[in-house]
Amino acid sequence: MFLFERTDTKDHHGSRRDLERMDYSISRHPEFRYKTEFQSHEPEFDYLKSLEIEEKINKIKWCQTANGALFLLSTNDKTIKFWKVQEKKVKKVSDMNVDPKAMGNGSIASSSNSSSSKSYLANGVSPDGPYNYLNNDFSFPPEGVPSLRLPLVVTSHETSLVARCRRVYAHAHDYHINSISNNSDGETFISADDLRINLWNLEISNQSFNIVDVKPANMEDLTEVITSAEFHPTHCNTLAYSSSKGSIRLVDLRQSALCDSHAKLFEEQEAPGSRSFFTEIIASISDIKFGKDGRYILSRDYMTLKLWDINMDSGPVATFQVHEYLRPKLCDLYENDSIFDKFECCLSGDGLRVSTGSYSNLFRVFGCVPGSTEAMTLEASKNPMRRQVPTPSRPSRSLGNSITRVVRRGAESASVDANGNSFDFTTKLLHLAWHPTENSIACAAANSLYMYYA
């Protein structure tokens, strides 16, 4: 796990908007520098199920800071860890703090009264033997050593960032963990797998409470699974979770200990005559996010982004087409398993934009205020000249109809059109996040992290 630190506002505390009001001169683009790295998870093996657990990190969530320390949760498929990252000062002894004139016949370094060529410290300890306190070459004066002052002078020369695992939350999920979300109360968090959602206390690692369980008595009756779960940003009793059938359920923890029944259900009605073999697959929601004020929920299925108002459960208030040009090629996407890719989504801190990833390291940004026509396609690339990719107002006929074949070599697959332009489905941009207060977005592509400022 890698941590980066914002450097362009270090001398002037406050958000970018506050600094602009105060006429501070700051760089246009946020600047970050490498801070530290540590190993979050190690490869494990479940001997009861004969299952190898990879060390890869599925989710990371920041927790509330305290006493200058950073706290975060990280999880792989089975184990959640609570980390504390804090600066520690490296202390060194800089002065022995002893007056050599008052030592009498007590031997010190280069003393002329010593009958030995060895050097001794003021308390009679030989450098050659740290535990040789009763050395024959040293004798205390009868009147004592009045100027011996302890402790020694210790100074801090540098600081080191140390990551320490505070808690390990394990053995609570039979299926792979797909979500973790910390509560606004600062004391609890949830973890979700395909069939269950558990509630944890940050200070208690050996006990959790199952609050949602969709596992049927007979697994043959299973029709949907949990795909994502998130706490409300301000109401600690409210959470939402999505399913593979394209629905979002709002849960109120005050209703019952086991939240089998939902407070609200959000789903879009299927248009008559539009059902196909791929309808349920592309309707599966891969990620949900609450807006900053908690009124809106953003969801991502395979083809679209949808914005929901929690006060209106009749349907989404806005729908954004992410890569509609791929719809004619769903059969090819099914054959190379790309149709099962799970893309994340996010909202900007001001609530004016939404964003999600796509293929070929591209991601889409849409304006979500009423009447907005803003729609951009950006590329996660080190070349700043290639950051913005022109996007037509409606799906490009040449792009959608020219994808003629799928080349498959082992686990790799790419679509190639008649003109030789490739659309690589292996370079997918799955993870991205808006900064909570700045107009900057970070996205992870392959082994690189890119940041853009709007």
Side-chain angles (χ1 to χ4, degrees):
M1 186 182 299
F2 298 87
L3 298 184
F4 294 85
E5 181 183 30
R6 181 86 179 264
T7 59
D8 57 313
T9 59
K10 197 153 189 175
D11 296 333
H12 310 298
H13 300 286
S15 66
R16 173 177 289 269
R17 188 172 299 175
D18 294 336
L19 297 179
E20 287 175 349
R21 290 196 190 104
M22 300 169 67
D23 292 332
Y24 276 124
S25 176
I26 57 178
S27 60
R28 171 168 172 75
H29 301 293
E31 297 176 1
F32 292 83
R33 68 176 175 87
Y34 170 84
K35 193 173 181 70
T36 188
E37 65 181 270
F38 57 93
Q39 185 73 25
S40 176
H41 289 76
E42 300 284 349
E44 303 175 44
F45 190 82
D46 189 338
Y47 293 96
L48 294 178
K49 298 182 179 180
S50 297
L51 179 67
E52 184 178 355
I53 304 173
E54 299 181 29
E55 68 271 26
K56 69 180 181 70
I57 299 174
N58 291 342
K59 296 288 182 179
I60 300 174
K61 292 290 183 180
W62 288 105
C63 300
Q64 294 181 1
T65 59
N67 300 324
L70 303 175
F71 295 89
L72 55 92
L73 289 165
S74 65
T75 183
N76 61 0
D77 288 337
K78 296 291 184 181
T79 305
I80 308 166
K81 293 187 178 182
F82 183 46
W83 293 91
K84 178 182 180 180
V85 183
Q86 189 176 28
E87 287 188 347
K88 295 287 186 180
K89 293 183 178 180
V90 180
K91 297 182 179 180
K92 297 181 180 179
V93 177
S94 62
D95 190 358
M96 296 306 294
N97 212 6
V98 176
D99 185 5
K101 296 181 180 179
M103 289 302 296
N105 63 346
S107 298
I108 60 173
S110 69
S111 173
S112 58
N113 296 331
S114 175
S115 59
S116 171
S117 61
K118 294 182 179 181
S119 298
Y120 296 93
L121 302 179
N123 60 352
V125 178
S126 169
D128 299 329
Y131 301 105
N132 188 17
Y133 295 108
L134 301 177
N135 194 282
N136 294 330
D137 294 332
F138 177 82
S139 60
F140 285 96
E143 63 277 7
V145 187
S147 61
L148 182 61
R149 297 166 294 173
L150 294 177
L152 306 177
V153 175
V154 179
T155 58
S156 300
H157 293 274
E158 57 186 13
T159 59
S160 175
L161 207 61
V162 178
R164 185 167 64 92
C165 183
R166 292 283 304 274
R167 301 280 189 277
V168 177
Y169 314 91
H171 312 299
H173 288 277
D174 293 330
Y175 303 91
H176 289 179
I177 299 173
N178 55 46
S179 303
I180 54 174
S181 178
N182 40 348
N183 200 347
S184 59
D185 62 8
E187 298 179 357
T188 57
F189 71 95
I190 56 172
S191 58
D193 62 23
D194 291 343
L195 299 180
R196 293 187 176 95
I197 300 178
N198 293 333
L199 178 66
W200 300 83
N201 188 298
L202 284 170
E203 300 300 324
I204 303 173
S205 59
N206 59 356
Q207 185 182 35
S208 65
F209 298 94
N210 179 229
I211 56 176
V212 176
D213 190 347
V214 299
K215 183 178 180 179
N218 186 357
M219 287 296 288
E220 294 181 356
D221 298 331
L222 182 66
T223 58
E224 62 179 333
V225 296
I226 299 170
T227 57
S228 181
E230 175 120 344
F231 260 122
H232 192 280
T234 56
H235 298 164
C236 61
N237 59 286
T238 305
L239 64 93
Y241 68 93
S242 59
S243 79
S244 57
K245 279 194 170 182
S247 61
I248 302 173
R249 290 173 172 84
L250 202 64
V251 172
D252 191 342
L253 299 178
R254 298 171 298 183
Q255 289 183 348
S256 62
L258 184 60
C259 303
D260 288 331
S261 60
H262 50 266
K264 284 190 176 182
L265 175 65
F266 304 93
E267 59 182 356
E268 189 174 25
Q269 298 300 321
E270 185 178 315
S274 61
R275 188 170 184 81
S276 68
F277 173 78
F278 304 106
T279 299
E280 287 192 6
I281 300 176
I282 63 176
S284 176
I285 296 176
S286 58
D287 190 30
I288 59 172
K289 291 289 191 306
F290 273 101
K292 188 176 182 180
D293 58 359
R295 178 175 176 178
Y296 296 98
I297 299 176
L298 182 68
S299 67
R300 169 68 201 266
D301 55 45
Y302 186 72
M303 299 296 294
T304 65
L305 271 176
K306 292 184 175 70
L307 191 66
W308 307 79
D309 188 335
I310 64 173
N311 298 324
M312 188 179 71
D313 54 4
S314 59
V317 295
T319 301
F320 308 96
Q321 305 295 334
V322 179
H323 37 220
E324 187 65 19
Y325 58 85
L326 294 179
R327 191 174 293 274
K329 295 300 174 182
L330 291 179
C331 184
D332 296 333
L333 296 170
Y334 178 79
E335 290 181 359
N336 62 27
D337 292 337
S338 294
I339 200 171
F340 301 104
D341 289 334
K342 299 184 182 302
F343 294 93
E344 293 183 358
C345 60
C346 57
L347 295 92
S348 60
D350 55 14
L352 301 180
R353 297 178 179 88
V354 296
S355 183
T356 189
S358 183
Y359 294 103
S360 298
N361 285 350
L362 301 178
F363 65 97
R364 306 294 310 276
V365 179
F366 302 94
C368 59
V369 295
S372 174
T373 58
E374 180 182 1
M376 293 184 293
T377 302
L378 303 176
E379 181 184 10
S381 171
K382 294 181 180 180
N383 185 354
M385 300 303 294
R386 299 177 58 197
R387 286 194 351 167
Q388 180 147 352
V389 180
T391 303
S393 57
R394 52 184 177 179
S396 172
R397 178 178 299 178
S398 61
L399 184 62
N401 296 337
S402 59
I403 300 178
T404 57
R405 61 190 177 92
V406 173
V407 181
R408 186 168 184 174
R409 299 183 183 94
E412 297 181 354
S413 61
S415 292
V416 183
D417 63 13
N419 298 325
N421 300 319
S422 65
F423 303 94
D424 192 358
F425 294 110
T426 62
T427 56
K428 58 197 74 172
L429 203 154
L430 302 177
H431 310 289
L432 73 171
W434 280 94
H435 191 281
T437 58
E438 310 288 346
N439 270 336
S440 56
I441 183 171
C443 50
N447 294 324
S448 302
L449 181 68
Y450 300 91
M451 177 161 287
Y452 293 91
Y453 181 72

